[in-house]
């Protein structure tokens, strides 16, 4: 009798439009993609924090050393801040390692063609972006500075110059920029502002540690560079 009742019942009686048994997924606003109960479904290399400060005729770039993969800390002392163009340009990178190195190599090639002309090299690299399919949509960002200008290069071909001499990229970039801007009006030097702001960012961002690499141009360095050009 029961079998007859079930067989005569409408076919959609036991169906439901609600997906009750699907595992709920939450997308966070950090840009790192979906996460479930057991952590990330597709672990990614996490970004880092790079900060650049230009103040009182000096410029410094600070980066942390942490390399993370999903929930793991793989390396605490990676060097993400480097000096290129025969000591005239400082770079710091955040994003996928291969993409960062590709972006940096292309920049170095442009600087070899335009030595000592950072702005022009970056603009020319941006102009050729749309014609080079290999470079499109790289998951990378660079901070590049010389004695005169500070710039941000993105994997989408953007070149941005800050209005206040403060640049922050990576997972803790917003924390570092906020802290740095609060310290810009103090008596601290550019290097002191950069290190202090990075320390605050490292205290807040779980993907940033306190193993800092610091590179910069002091007033003396800039003066020597100007004398050498003369």
């Amino acid at each position: 009798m029961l079998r007859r009742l079930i067989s005569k019942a409408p076919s959609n009686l036991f169906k439901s439009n609600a997906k009750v048994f699907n595992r709920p997924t939450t997308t966070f606003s950090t840009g790192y993609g979906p996460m479930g109960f057991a952590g990330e479904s597709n672990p990614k290399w996490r970004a880092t924090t790079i900060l650049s400060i230009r103040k009182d005729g000096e410029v410094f770039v600070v980066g942390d050393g942490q390399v993370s993969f999903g929930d793991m800390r793989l390396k605490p002392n990676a060097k993400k801040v480097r000096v290129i163009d025969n000591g005239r340009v400082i770079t710091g990178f955040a994003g996928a390692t291969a993409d960062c190195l590709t972006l940096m190599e292309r920049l170095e090639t442009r600087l070899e063609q335009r030595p000592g002309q950072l702005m022009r090299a970056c603009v020319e690299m941006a102009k050729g972006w749309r014609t080079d399919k290999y470079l499109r949509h790289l998951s990378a960002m660079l901070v590049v500075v010389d004695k005169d200008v500070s710039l941000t290069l993105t994997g989408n071909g953007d070149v941005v110059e800050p209005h206040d001499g403060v640049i922050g990229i990576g997972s803790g970039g917003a924390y570092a920029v906020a802290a740095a801007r609060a310290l810009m009006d103090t008596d601290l030097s550019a290097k002191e502002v950069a290190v202090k702001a990075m320390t605050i960012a490292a205290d807040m961002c779980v993907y940033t540690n306190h193993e800092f690499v610091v590179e910069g141009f002091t007033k003396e360095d800039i003066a020597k560079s100007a004398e050498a050009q003369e």
Side-chain angles (χ1 to χ4, degrees):
M1 185 67 180
L2 180 60
R3 291 181 180 178
R4 292 180 182 177
L5 290 175
I6 293 176
S7 63
K8 293 181 180 180
S11 59
N12 62 350
L13 178 63
F14 301 103
K15 294 183 179 179
S16 173
N17 293 327
K19 297 180 179 179
V20 179
F21 300 104
N22 282 0
R23 187 180 68 174
T25 300
T26 303
T27 301
F28 293 89
S29 60
T30 54
Y32 294 131
M35 295 181 67
F37 290 132
E40 292 183 71
S41 59
N42 183 23
K44 297 180 180 180
W45 294 92
R46 293 295 189 179
T48 183
T49 301
I50 304 292
L51 177 67
S52 174
I53 301 295
R54 186 178 295 273
K55 180 183 179 185
D56 298 332
E58 298 182 333
V59 60
F60 281 86
V61 179
V62 186
D64 78 301
Q66 180 168 314
V67 177
S68 304
F69 184 72
D71 298 330
M72 297 183 296
R73 295 178 180 176
L74 294 184
K75 188 175 181 179
N77 59 346
K79 187 175 182 181
K80 307 165 190 175
V81 177
R82 302 180 181 181
V83 180
I84 61 174
D85 193 27
N86 296 320
R88 290 183 291 239
V89 175
I90 301 172
T91 67
F93 58 84
T97 304
D99 290 350
C100 289
L101 294 178
T102 299
L103 198 59
M104 188 177 297
E105 287 176 1
R106 295 303 177 100
L107 176 60
E108 288 186 275
T109 301
R110 291 290 182 176
L111 286 171
E112 289 175 0
Q113 300 170 356
R114 304 289 183 184
Q117 302 179 58
L118 178 61
M119 177 68 81
R120 188 169 183 177
C122 292
V123 171
E124 288 184 354
M125 189 169 70
K127 285 181 179 179
W129 214 271
R130 298 304 174 188
T131 60
D132 194 339
K133 295 181 180 180
Y134 184 71
L135 287 178
R136 294 179 187 177
H137 307 298
L138 292 178
S139 299
M141 295 185 73
L142 288 183
V143 171
V144 293
V145 305
D146 65 4
K147 61 184 181 64
D148 298 315
V149 66
S150 301
L151 299 170
T152 303
L153 301 182
T154 73
N156 294 321
D158 301 315
V159 181
V160 183
E161 182 177 9
H163 68 282
D164 56 359
V166 180
I167 301 176
I169 62 173
S171 56
Y175 308 131
V177 168
R181 286 176 176 166
L183 296 170
M184 287 293 282
D185 294 333
T186 64
D187 295 331
L188 298 176
S189 66
K191 182 177 181 179
E192 291 171 336
V193 169
V195 173
K196 180 66 174 178
M198 274 292 294
T199 302
I200 294 172
D203 289 341
M204 300 179 68
C205 178
V206 296
Y207 301 108
T208 304
N209 66 8
H210 293 81
E211 298 288 335
F212 300 151
V213 175
V214 184
E215 297 284 355
F217 298 124
T218 63
K219 293 179 180 179
E220 292 77 12
D221 296 332
I222 295 174
K224 290 179 181 178
S225 176
E227 291 176 1
Q229 291 180 355
E230 294 177 359

